[in-house]
Amino acid sequence: MASRCGLSLVYSLLAYILLAFTSTPVLTRAAAAPAPAAQELSFSVGIVIGQAASCSGAADAHLMSEDAHLGHLLFVTRLASEAGAMYMSDLDGVRHRILFNYTWYNDGCEPQRHEALLSKLINDDGVHFIFGSSPAFAQQESIMANNFGRLIYHCCHGQDELLEQDMKHVFSIQASNSRYPIQALQSMVVAGGVSRLYIFSLENDGFMASTCQAAADHSMELEQLHSGFTLVRHRRYTSEEAANRPSLYKDIVNEAISEGADAVLGCDFKEPSMNVTQQFRAKQHYLKALWLATAPTQSDFAAAADRLLMHAAENVLSAAQWHPGAHFADAYFGTAAQYSEDFEAAFKKPPSEMAVGASAASYSLAVALKQALELCRFPDLAGLDSNHTVPALDMDRVLFNQSAVECVVEPGMPVTTTGYEWVRYMLAKQRLVTIFGKVEFDESRRNIAKEVVTTQVQSGATEAVLPLELAARDLVMPAPGSSQDSPSSDSQFGGLSQGAFIAIIIVCGSGCILTLMGIQGCLYRIRRVKSLDSQLVIEPKELQIISAPECQWDDSWESGKAMYKGTLVSLDPLPEIWNAGVVDPARSSILKQMREGEKTSKLASTKESGWSSSTFEIQGSSDMGGSITDSQTDIEMGGSPKASHVGFSYKASADLEGCSASQFECDSPGPCSANGPCSHGPSSAYKRTKYSGSGSCPVFTMILTRYEVLKLFWRSRCLQHPSVVPVIGIVWSLAPHLPPSMPVLVRECQELGALASVMENETMTIDAVSQFAIAKDLSDALAYLHTQENPAMKPILQPRLEGVLLDKHCRARVCVPLAALSEALSGKATVWVERTRENARELAHAEEIEDVQTFGVGIANLFTAGKCCSNQNSNAFLQVNREELVHGTVLPCNQYQSILSSHGTEMAELISRCCSKHPSDRPCFVEVKEQLEAKHSKMIHDAARTRRNSSASKSSRRPADAASSSPSADELLYELFPVHVAETLKSGRLPDPEPFPMVSLFFSDVCGYTTICSSLQTHEVMDMLHRLYSCFDELAKDKSLFKELGHIHCRCGIHCGPVMGAVVGTLNRRYGLFGDSVNVASRMESTSIKDHVQCSSPYMQLLREQWPEAAALAVAQVWYALLPPCSA
């Protein structure tokens, strides 16, 4: 029959001492001091201690189990005192005090006795809540408690296997033991330099086996992250094997040495762990790290093994649930040091992690009871006022009778359940800070918030070193030795101690080595720069300039043409790169931010981090400032071409949130003239322009050395593919044609110019075969470029396919922007990865998938040019209602329908996939390339059939006398093409494209043409057009001009500039003019007014030189443009 303890702590301790080793149970009933107006809620709790020594072979497990009992007893005693009293008020405002009646049974580590006493605890004693004992009996008592519907709270068991059985009444406050070796293992590899790991574990102990298995699993992950690390062997054994084989631990050490292990991780108890350590010392084998599961956490092990371990390993690590030196604390017990003092005062010994875990579990349960019952009212107490004595409540009824409590989550939302289930629910949802660590349960009632403490033996003591927020000491690699290992103070060298002398020698030697390495690096850099200079830099005198680059009305640049060593080349100004010079003091603070940001900012693409040239939309005349409305703005700096550094624009996105209100003043030279970016037009003088960042953030600047810029150009030159525009070199300065601070990229000339310009050319139509060939060329080039790894390419395609050029055969070539090559500055080697259909999508980078959408939008615009209402702007879909887009894509429905009718279902679906809003739905370029190649032969076959049908139709309508029609055919040929082009075509050859440095272009239109047609008969309209055409034909013949086919009407516009003339097409050959000048002339016509000829400023300049009388008749118009037009 159980003995009952008295009301005081002294009597409880006396009863514990007298009955600790008897089979009779001890019941401690905590009584509270009298507290008027407070109702006692006394809950019955109990534990059956499992003496695990004879079960697991661990000699110290008995004491650990006793510590768990003492931890519960400490909390129960404190809860009964006024200092630790816990009060709560129910929904009716009645004040209650929570108490625990605590029962403890000693089972002597006999499984049958443990089961019988646990049954007695539940059935005879009627405890409400059970505390778990040792890991040896965790499975048995959890099943019994769950079957009886009693909540069991484990303080000393953290294995996952038990909790994964999902018994709803089983809780554990410990962290999973599978997390024990993780932090230490990472530190060993990263900070300790461990490369070869050996693991040994006791397999018939669940805790030891699962701990080392978790270490082995994590080692496999570390092998993927650290190429130099490997797990050489995982040795498993049982306690029977260890007992029958005395040489087992010696064999383990020999095996680890033969495998070349420089670190060992062991999962066994203290004596076997010490045995292994002694064997390593006897073999004099040096280890970088030694991790043992439980032994180093015991003070006697650390004190006895300090000197031994320092000879066996650099650092000895372990893990624990709790450490007295760690920064644990809560509101109930205080700090870990205060808890240790209270425990030692009560039981004359320091607390173990088992004791602390037990106290924390008791505290957690009490808090759950308090939180649950605060949301309830007790009908048995209804109608009582403050004058009545509050009767005692039957706790069995409160917990197990549904009518005894009424609980609500929120006002008006009652919870229909028993008080017991409500307490269990509140414990499952609990988030609490305890002296043992944080408490938060997952769906299996495992504590997922608890941190495991990594410990290290330092100077004869075990110290907490990880995690950092709990650590009392820093993790040391290697661990410091004890004071006895310190060098003798008698060793002196010139007045310095031996350690100081060695340190000075090491520092001086390291400095000399670093200095020599720096000199060697500088010499290598100089040789490398000279090598790149000789291969990439082109002197201006080597170029025979045909047409110099010209600044356009929007501050962009039109490429020039030149002959270089007998080859026609393109001269592309690089306004985003300039030679650095003197920085204006007004922006010195911006430059300082920029230079500081270089350490943390990473180069990125135009679309992600904003490497770009300026794209301003200026509102106002050329003499006025304006506001920047584009989302990307460069702050550029000009200077001397002889400077050793150059600048490269990129967007510094960090710390720029909310910068839309910022204003920047431009005082320095810029791209469009020698005077700077503030000058708008070729002849503008220096101006001070104030930019307001309305709705956009500024793009700051990063300074690169000339060597780094040459590296970018060399990387670009190494890209060799038929559909990539070859880079020939760079001209640092092309003065006086360009500002002296602006470099020029020399590329192989692509005769037809930019694809975007051709698409905007109203006189030019690209047939279906050429459209398909352009799409195939782009997919080939991009599939090649995006197979690059280490470093990977940034996004390549620009909006509207601006960087895509056409050669003389109307085949597409990609200009790779320098921003896409920015990762080349990282110094990583370039690897080309072979991709197949099976692995292509898996290997695709985010940058490639981003390019796929740009490709899809651009090709859709190419296929539907002139057919759909959407313009050629790649962002046109932003102007379309959401209902007008194909579902899940950025492709307008009208474009999709047009492609479907002209190119078939397969092509329409491919472009739709490319335009998907979701990156995961887009194909990679290898897939796009394969689908286009599969469709290529069918496309050519359809085109050939169309051509044969067209030829047969023409032959059927040809006169019988073919000879009589020949002169008419020749005349028609000379009308359609210039003379020299017609002669070349008659000889069966395709003429080469030819550049024209200066051509005047005339466009015209009829004002109100639709109204005129609606008021005239058809034959009258035809007669009017015939007379109009004839008039222009006579003028062209009289002035020896060539009239390009197109719409000739009466509202006129003129512009002059460089163009490229070429014959394009396969089914219907056309002679066309290409270049930005054609588009500007068209805009002059479209913005002109009735009965006027609108001309641009460059044309007016020529007119003043060649026909000043006509120029005097021109009337200047007020326009908000950078090239003010005139009207005559």
Side-chain angles (χ1 to χ4, degrees):
M1 186 173 176
S3 301
R4 301 290 182 179
C5 296
L7 300 179
S8 67
L9 173 62
V10 176
Y11 186 77
S12 298
L13 293 177
L14 181 60
Y16 163 67
I17 296 173
L18 293 175
L19 302 175
F21 300 100
T22 68
S23 59
T24 56
V26 176
L27 174 66
T28 303
R29 173 172 293 137
Q39 167 66 47
E40 291 186 0
L41 300 180
S42 184
F43 299 95
S44 178
V45 297
I47 186 173
V48 177
I49 290 299
Q51 304 293 347
S54 60
C55 303
S56 63
D60 54 339
H62 175 82
L63 295 177
M64 294 170 64
S65 298
E66 287 182 346
D67 284 353
H69 157 62
L70 297 181
H72 291 300
L73 186 61
L74 180 67
F75 174 79
V76 171
T77 305
R78 181 177 177 83
L79 188 66
S81 67
E82 284 302 320
M86 187 176 294
Y87 294 94
M88 50 81 60
S89 297
D90 61 22
L91 288 179
D92 292 326
V94 178
R95 196 161 180 258
H96 304 274
R97 179 176 183 177
I98 296 176
L99 296 170
F100 279 178
N101 283 336
Y102 177 61
T103 302
W104 166 45
Y105 285 108
N106 189 339
D107 64 358
C109 193
E110 298 178 8
Q112 295 80 7
R113 183 173 179 77
H114 182 92
E115 182 177 359
L117 289 176
L118 187 62
S119 177
K120 176 180 176 60
L121 194 68
I122 297 172
N123 296 317
D124 298 346
D125 298 324
V127 296
H128 303 135
F129 304 99
I130 302 172
F131 293 124
S133 58
S134 70
F137 297 109
Q139 178 74 21
Q140 177 190 21
E141 58 192 7
S142 296
I143 293 175
M144 286 186 62
N146 193 68
N147 291 339
F148 279 104
R150 290 295 185 271
L151 188 151
I152 182 169
Y153 202 160
H154 288 283
C155 69
C156 312
H157 183 80
Q159 296 180 40
D160 295 335
E161 292 80 357
L162 174 63
L163 297 174
E164 286 171 354
Q165 298 176 38
D166 198 22
M167 293 180 281
K168 72 174 186 177
H169 290 93
V170 180
F171 290 77
S172 176
I173 200 171
Q174 281 200 352
S176 171
N177 65 292
S178 62
R179 296 166 54 190
Y180 271 39
I182 304 302
Q183 288 181 339
L185 192 55
Q186 292 173 345
S187 300
M188 289 158 60
V189 175
V190 176
V194 169
S195 59
R196 298 179 66 82
L197 176 68
Y198 181 92
I199 298 178
F200 68 89
S201 61
L202 179 65
E203 284 302 294
N204 61 327
D205 183 271
F207 175 86
M208 299 298 178
S210 58
T211 300
C212 267
Q213 184 58 48
D217 294 340
H218 190 63
S219 297
M220 301 300 180
E221 299 177 6
L222 290 176
E223 287 180 354
Q224 303 297 322
L225 300 176
H226 301 273
S227 57
F229 172 75
T230 183
L231 173 62
V232 297
R233 179 74 188 277
H234 183 181
R235 177 70 164 85
R236 299 176 175 88
Y237 57 89
T238 63
S239 54
E240 290 77 14
E241 181 182 359
N244 298 329
R245 185 178 172 185
S247 64
L248 173 65
Y249 302 112
K250 182 177 180 180
D251 295 339
I252 288 176
V253 171
N254 290 334
E255 187 177 58
I257 295 174
S258 65
E259 294 286 353
D262 57 3
V264 172
L265 191 148
C267 298
D268 206 332
F269 294 99
K270 184 178 73 173
E271 294 304 326
S273 298
M274 181 65 93
N275 195 336
V276 170
T277 305
Q278 291 171 344
Q279 294 293 333
F280 274 114
R281 182 189 183 187
K283 295 289 184 179
Q284 296 184 346
H285 181 72
Y286 175 79
L287 291 175
K288 291 183 178 180
L290 175 63
W291 189 95
L292 300 173
T294 59
T297 61
Q298 302 171 37
S299 58
D300 57 340
F301 176 91
D306 179 41
R307 179 173 295 277
L308 172 64
L309 294 175
M310 292 309 299
H311 289 285
E314 277 191 354
N315 51 84
V316 181
L317 304 170
S318 186
Q321 297 280 345
W322 186 84
H323 189 277
H327 297 158
F328 288 104
D330 67 7
Y332 191 80
F333 288 105
T335 65
Q338 291 172 338
Y339 178 89
S340 299
E341 291 177 4
D342 293 343
F343 191 92
E344 289 190 39
F347 306 115
K348 310 305 180 185
K349 57 185 275 189
S352 67
E353 66 177 38
M354 299 294 184
V356 183
S359 296
S362 298
Y363 173 58
S364 172
L365 178 61
V367 171
L369 287 165
K370 177 178 180 293
Q371 293 173 340
L373 298 180
E374 281 178 338
L375 299 176
C376 302
R377 61 171 50 91
F378 304 99
D380 295 346
L381 302 180
L384 296 179
D385 54 32
S386 57
N387 297 324
H388 291 78
T389 302
V390 179
L393 288 174
D394 183 355
M395 298 315 301
D396 289 340
R397 174 176 165 81
V398 168
L399 292 176
F400 301 109
N401 191 322
Q402 188 171 324
S403 63
V405 293
E406 295 178 358
C407 304
V408 295
V409 179
E410 296 179 3
M413 296 181 60
V415 177
T416 305
T417 183
T418 63
Y420 201 83
E421 285 299 312
W422 184 232
V423 171
R424 188 187 67 82
Y425 172 81
M426 293 300 292
L427 180 60
K429 298 298 181 182
Q430 186 178 79
R431 290 187 177 183
L432 182 67
V433 176
T434 72
I435 193 64
F436 195 58
K438 296 178 181 179
V439 176
E440 181 181 354
F441 300 102
D442 63 6
E443 62 276 4
S444 300
R445 276 75 61 191
R446 178 192 291 106
N447 187 1
I448 57 175
K450 176 75 177 73
E451 290 282 0
V452 173
V453 179
T454 297
T455 63
Q456 183 180 28
V457 175
Q458 295 183 4
S459 302
T462 302
E463 303 289 351
V465 293
L466 290 175
L468 295 179
E469 62 269 19
L470 299 177
R473 296 287 184 91
D474 292 333
L475 176 65
V476 181
M477 294 286 183
S482 59
S483 58
Q484 291 85 350
D485 295 328
S486 302
S488 173
S489 59
D490 297 332
S491 301
Q492 299 287 326
F493 294 87
L496 297 174
S497 65
Q498 179 180 352
F501 180 78
I502 294 175
I504 292 175
I505 294 297
I506 293 175
V507 171
C508 293
S510 301
C512 293
I513 293 174
L514 291 176
T515 302
L516 293 175
M517 292 175 63
I519 294 174
Q520 182 68 24
C522 292
L523 294 176
Y524 171 78
R525 177 67 62 89
I526 293 173
R527 291 194 299 269
R528 181 62 175 164
V529 170
K530 289 182 178 179
S531 174
L532 292 177
D533 266 329
S534 64
Q535 298 180 68
L536 291 177
V537 177
I538 298 174
E539 295 297 329
K541 62 183 179 181
E542 300 180 72
L543 298 172
Q544 300 176 16
I545 297 178
I546 299 173
S547 61
E550 288 194 2
C551 184
Q552 300 299 306
W553 62 273
D554 60 350
D555 269 2
S556 63
W557 286 87
E558 182 178 1
S559 301
K561 303 292 185 296
M563 297 298 295
Y564 174 66
K565 295 183 180 180
T567 302
L568 183 64
V569 296
S570 172
L571 305 177
D572 301 322
L574 298 173
E576 69 268 28
I577 302 180
W578 64 97
N579 291 312
V582 179
V583 180
D584 184 42
R587 284 185 287 161
S588 60
S589 61
I590 295 180
L591 180 60
K592 181 179 179 181
Q593 293 179 19
M594 169 194 72
R595 298 295 291 174
E596 292 175 351
E598 286 183 22
K599 299 178 181 179
T600 56
S601 299
K602 185 177 181 182
L603 299 179
S605 67
T606 301
K607 300 175 184 177
E608 293 182 358
S609 299
W611 281 37
S612 66
S613 60
S614 302
T615 51
F616 297 166
E617 182 181 335
I618 305 298
Q619 299 176 348
S621 69
S622 60
D623 296 327
M624 299 172 60
S627 62
I628 300 174
T629 58
D630 194 276
S631 61
Q632 296 177 353
T633 305
D634 292 342
I635 300 176
E636 307 189 21
M637 302 178 185
S640 170
K642 298 181 181 180
S644 61
H645 290 73
V646 295
F648 208 122
S649 304
Y650 81 110
K651 182 177 181 181
S653 58
D655 302 326
L656 290 179
E657 295 184 2
C659 61
S660 60
S662 301
Q663 293 183 337
F664 300 88
E665 292 188 355
C666 174
D667 298 309
S668 59
C672 281
S673 74
N675 295 320
C678 300
S679 55
H680 307 300
S683 60
S684 300
Y686 175 84
K687 298 178 180 65
R688 180 184 181 93
T689 304
K690 189 173 183 180
Y691 296 142
S692 172
S694 57
S696 61
C697 293
V699 175
F700 293 128
T701 305
M702 194 180 78
I703 302 300
L704 301 180
T705 64
R706 178 173 294 202
Y707 170 67
E708 290 172 325
V709 173
L710 289 176
K711 282 181 65 177
L712 289 177
F713 282 105
W714 179 254
R715 183 70 191 88
S716 180
R717 185 173 177 176
C718 292
L719 298 174
Q720 301 294 325
H721 190 273
S723 296
V724 175
V725 178
V727 172
I728 298 175
I730 182 176
V731 179
W732 286 117
S733 176
L734 202 60
H737 303 285
L738 295 177
S741 60
M742 184 181 296
V744 176
L745 180 62
V746 180
R747 286 192 176 106
E748 183 182 290
C749 181
Q750 306 304 306
E751 292 82 358
L752 300 189
L755 173 62
S757 298
V758 174
M759 292 167 61
E760 293 178 355
N761 192 335
E762 298 178 358
T763 68
M764 180 63 199
T765 302
I766 304 176
D767 58 64
V769 174
S770 298
Q771 291 176 356
F772 187 84
I774 290 172
K776 185 175 179 299
D777 292 338
L778 286 182
S779 64
D780 288 349
L782 293 166
Y784 161 79
L785 293 171
H786 280 296
T787 54
Q788 184 181 204
E789 301 281 345
N790 297 325
M793 297 284 281
K794 295 293 183 180
I796 297 167
L797 289 182
Q798 302 177 41
R800 302 173 61 247
L801 301 182
E802 289 285 358
V804 179
L805 305 180
L806 299 180
D807 65 9
K808 61 183 179 181
H809 302 298
C810 204
R811 300 305 295 268
R813 287 190 170 190
V814 177
C815 287
V816 180
L818 297 181
L821 306 171
S822 59
E823 289 295 327
L825 299 178
S826 63
K828 298 179 181 178
T830 299
V831 180
W832 297 92
V833 178
E834 182 67 25
R835 298 194 186 184
T836 63
R837 172 177 286 276
E838 290 73 20
N839 68 358
R841 189 59 179 83
E842 179 183 352
L843 296 176
H845 296 279
E847 291 83 357
E848 177 180 354
I849 301 305
E850 183 177 342
D851 266 348
V852 168
Q853 187 183 66
T854 308
F855 169 84
V857 173
I859 296 302
N861 289 332
L862 172 66
F863 283 1
T864 59
K867 299 178 182 180
C868 301
C869 61
S870 64
N871 56 32
Q872 304 301 324
N873 192 333
S874 63
N875 295 325
F877 64 87
L878 295 177
Q879 305 167 4
V880 181
N881 293 333
R882 184 172 299 178
E883 292 77 9
E884 298 178 10
L885 297 177
V886 178
H887 178 70
T889 73
V890 296
L891 182 66
C893 292
N894 58 349
Q895 285 191 334
Y896 177 81
Q897 294 298 331
S898 177
I899 298 171
L900 185 66
S901 60
S902 61
H903 293 78
T905 304
E906 294 181 3
M907 181 61 69
E909 289 299 325
L910 175 61
I911 293 178
S912 178
R913 287 181 60 205
C914 292
C915 294
S916 174
K917 295 179 182 178
H918 305 289
S920 59
D921 295 336
R922 301 174 201 155
C924 65
F925 278 112
V926 171
E927 298 177 65
V928 175
K929 173 184 174 183
E930 290 183 357
Q931 292 191 40
L932 291 178
E933 286 178 347
K935 189 175 176 59
H936 183 251
S937 58
K938 182 177 182 299
M939 190 73 183
I940 298 300
H941 179 269
D942 293 344
R945 183 177 58 187
T946 303
R947 186 169 187 176
R948 287 196 300 271
N949 295 339
S950 176
S951 300
S953 176
K954 292 179 180 179
S955 299
S956 64
R957 297 192 300 269
R958 185 175 301 170
D961 188 359
S964 63
S965 64
S966 295
S968 298
D970 288 343
E971 291 176 4
L972 181 60
L973 185 64
Y974 287 114
E975 289 182 4
L976 294 175
F977 298 97
V979 176
H980 66 286
V981 175
E983 291 293 341
T984 304
L985 290 173
K986 286 177 62 178
S987 66
R989 295 180 292 109
L990 184 66
D992 291 332
E994 54 184 332
F996 298 98
M998 184 58 66
V999 173
S1000 294
L1001 301 164
F1002 176 89
F1003 277 76
S1004 63
D1005 193 6
V1006 174
C1007 298
Y1009 177 73
T1010 303
T1011 305
I1012 295 172
C1013 292
S1014 64
S1015 61
L1016 297 177
Q1017 298 296 324
T1018 303
H1019 69 277
E1020 293 176 324
V1021 175
M1022 298 302 296
D1023 180 65
M1024 179 192 69
L1025 293 179
H1026 175 70
R1027 287 185 286 107
L1028 187 60
Y1029 269 81
S1030 299
C1031 180
F1032 276 107
D1033 289 342
E1034 290 299 325
L1035 287 173
K1037 185 182 300 182
D1038 181 57
K1039 302 299 182 181
S1040 299
L1041 302 175
F1042 173 72
K1043 176 176 70 65
E1044 185 184 356
L1045 286 181
H1047 299 289
I1048 302 176
H1049 304 292
C1050 291
R1051 183 178 57 197
C1052 305
I1054 305 178
H1055 175 62
C1056 64
V1059 296
M1060 181 72 71
V1063 176
V1064 296
T1066 55
L1067 300 179
N1068 298 302
R1069 298 191 185 279
R1070 300 283 300 278
Y1071 184 80
L1073 299 178
F1074 303 90
D1076 287 338
S1077 299
V1078 179
N1079 299 327
V1080 173
S1082 176
R1083 301 299 182 270
M1084 289 293 104
E1085 177 272 317
S1086 63
T1087 58
S1088 182
I1089 58 179
K1090 183 179 179 180
D1091 298 329
H1092 282 69
V1093 179
Q1094 181 173 242
C1095 59
S1096 64
S1097 293
Y1099 183 81
M1100 274 301 299
Q1101 186 175 351
L1102 289 180
L1103 194 63
R1104 292 189 184 101
E1105 297 173 359
Q1106 300 178 15
W1107 194 3
E1109 295 81 6
L1113 300 176
V1115 179
Q1117 301 294 313
V1118 179
W1119 289 89
Y1120 296 115
L1122 296 182
L1123 293 178
C1126 65
S1127 295

